[in-house]
Each structure stands twice: as C-alpha cells, then as structure tokens.
Amino acid sequence: MIATNGSAEGMEQLVNGEVEMSVLMRDVTDPEVEAAVQRDGLHAYPVVWDAVAAVVNRACPVEQISRDELARIYSGEISNWAELGWKDGGSLIALTSGPKNGMYAYVQQLLLGGGNYAATVYAPPAETDAIETVATRRNAIACVSRPLIEGDGRVRALAVSRATGLPYVSLSRESVLDRTYPLLRNIAIATPARPRPTASDFITFVSGVDGQRIVARHGYAPATVPIRIVRTAEEPE
C-alpha cells in the first residue's frame, strides 16, 4: 500500500514501524534522528534532485530574485514589493506550505538557517493551496515544487541567484539536470537501518542506471549516476 502524506508524517510513521520506507523531501531533522536511534535507527538514500520554484502572479513585473532576498521575505525583513523593484506592488504576501510538508522544512532549513518564519507568512495545508493564492493575488509569492506548476499558465517562476550579485538562473529542464539552478532539494528514500528486502530491492532499482533514466525522463536530476547533456544542431544554447 502507498500512502500520500507530508515528509514529517511519513517520517513519524517510519520511526513508529508503520511503513517500510518513506520519501523524504528535505533533510532529516535532529528530533527524527534521535527518535530513530531509540528504535532501530534509519538510513536515508538520496535518489534524485528536484527544483523548488519561486513563483509569482503573471501580473507581477519582477523577473528575478536572489536566495538572500527570499530569506529576507520569509523572515519578514522584506514586506513590500518596492524593495524588490516593483514600486507599485504594495504589500507582499509570502506563502509556504503547512508544517507537515517537506517544503515548509526545506525553506526553513535552506533559506532561514533553521530559524523561524515571520508571523506574516501564510502556511496553507498544501502547496497547491499556495499556488492558487499566487494565481489570484498579484502581490503574492510562494516557494513550491517544480512539478506542481508545469503547464500552469497562471503563475510564473522567477530566475534565482545563489546570492545578491551572482548570476540569475532560470528554472529549466537543463538547469535542473546540470544542477546549476540555485533552489534544488535532494529527494531521498528513508528506511529503517535494516530495511526489508522489498525496500532494498526498490532502492537498488531506483539508484541504478535504469531507475535513474526514468527519473531523468520526468524532469528530475539523477543523484546516483553521472549525466551528460548533448544538444542537437537545432537546439539553442
């Protein structure tokens, strides 16, 4: 049986012995490690890299943002679009996902250094709720999983730089595959320290060449095998 839930709930079920493995879309937290050690321990096997998109409404004229600026948005230091170059943008609405989801912890770990979100940041239960808000509010911004915005013309992903003053990189299939896009997260499969054969076999397959080809075909960057991007003569640089 496959259950759909957030990273926090999945890890809780794994530690409690309710599931054989759990997909982890952010780093393991210290409390999770401590809880696992008290039982049978755990392993996290990195299998793919995926992108996190910083999305805005189509009416927003801002085209790019740095990770520093995103951090200041989520910490509450930046609260008006004028600070990002949109003079008439007004107050900024920042969104993340609910605390049980991996995106909530990812933003907290990468952008806030483990610190707290500002009290003004909205955290709806699901990332899709955040996308709906951005699609209907011209002054909203959210960090969401790349696959959730593919084909959604109501929102637009900003180009991102690793820090203020560094080059901006647009979110594209190539920038994910070659890992140059600055908002990447490692997706791992977590298991008990002594996983069952079914879990071990699945991880072996996903980590192998055939499994990594499948994840690359779906726009994820392989984490266990090297890749080489080859352009045809008709493809642009």
Side-chain angles (χ1 to χ4, degrees):
M1 183 183 72
I2 298 175
T4 304
N5 50 37
S7 292
E9 188 175 353
M11 286 300 294
E12 181 179 347
Q13 292 174 332
L14 180 67
V15 170
N16 291 335
E18 299 170 20
V19 297
E20 292 183 31
M21 54 186 172
S22 178
V23 176
L24 190 60
M25 306 188 79
R26 40 81 173 164
D27 291 339
V28 179
T29 64
D30 290 340
E32 288 169 346
V33 172
E34 292 171 3
V37 167
Q38 292 176 5
R39 290 179 175 266
D40 298 324
L42 66 82
H43 283 308
Y45 302 88
V47 288
V48 299
W49 291 89
D50 194 21
V52 170
V55 296
V56 295
N57 186 280
R58 281 285 175 182
C60 175
V62 174
E63 298 284 343
Q64 55 199 28
I65 196 166
S66 68
R67 290 200 322 200
D68 302 337
E69 290 167 330
L70 281 171
R72 292 171 62 200
I73 287 172
Y74 283 108
S75 67
E77 294 179 51
I78 292 179
S79 58
N80 195 291
W81 279 105
E83 298 176 71
L84 298 171
W86 185 13
K87 293 182 180 179
D88 301 323
S91 297
L92 186 152
I93 299 174
L95 297 106
T96 183
S97 62
K100 290 187 176 182
N101 292 325
M103 185 60 66
Y104 184 96
Y106 170 84
V107 171
Q108 192 171 39
Q109 291 169 348
L110 179 72
L111 299 177
L112 298 176
N116 295 324
Y117 283 92
T120 52
V121 175
Y122 292 92
E127 291 181 57
T128 51
D129 298 325
I131 294 171
E132 287 297 321
T133 300
V134 173
T136 56
R137 301 294 294 270
R138 65 194 293 267
N139 59 333
I141 185 172
C143 283
V144 297
S145 301
R146 170 197 58 83
L148 296 180
I149 64 163
E150 290 187 337
D152 192 334
R154 303 172 302 162
V155 299
R156 177 170 50 81
L158 300 176
V160 181
S161 70
R162 295 189 180 278
T164 303
L166 294 181
Y168 293 94
V169 180
S170 297
L171 175 56
S172 67
R173 178 178 174 81
E174 183 170 330
S175 67
V176 174
L177 287 174
D178 65 15
R179 302 186 197 174
T180 57
Y181 181 70
L183 293 179
L184 290 179
R185 61 175 174 173
N186 186 260
I187 299 177
I189 297 176
T191 70
R194 292 183 293 277
R196 293 185 180 179
T198 50
S200 295
D201 291 345
F202 178 75
I203 293 168
T204 298
F205 171 75
V206 174
S207 302
V209 173
D210 290 341
Q212 293 289 283
R213 281 176 179 161
I214 292 173
V215 301
R217 216 160 39 229
H218 288 275
Y220 298 93
T224 62
V225 299
I227 64 168
R228 182 165 61 98
I229 298 174
V230 179
R231 293 191 182 91
T232 64
E234 292 79 15
E235 288 183 303
E237 292 292 327

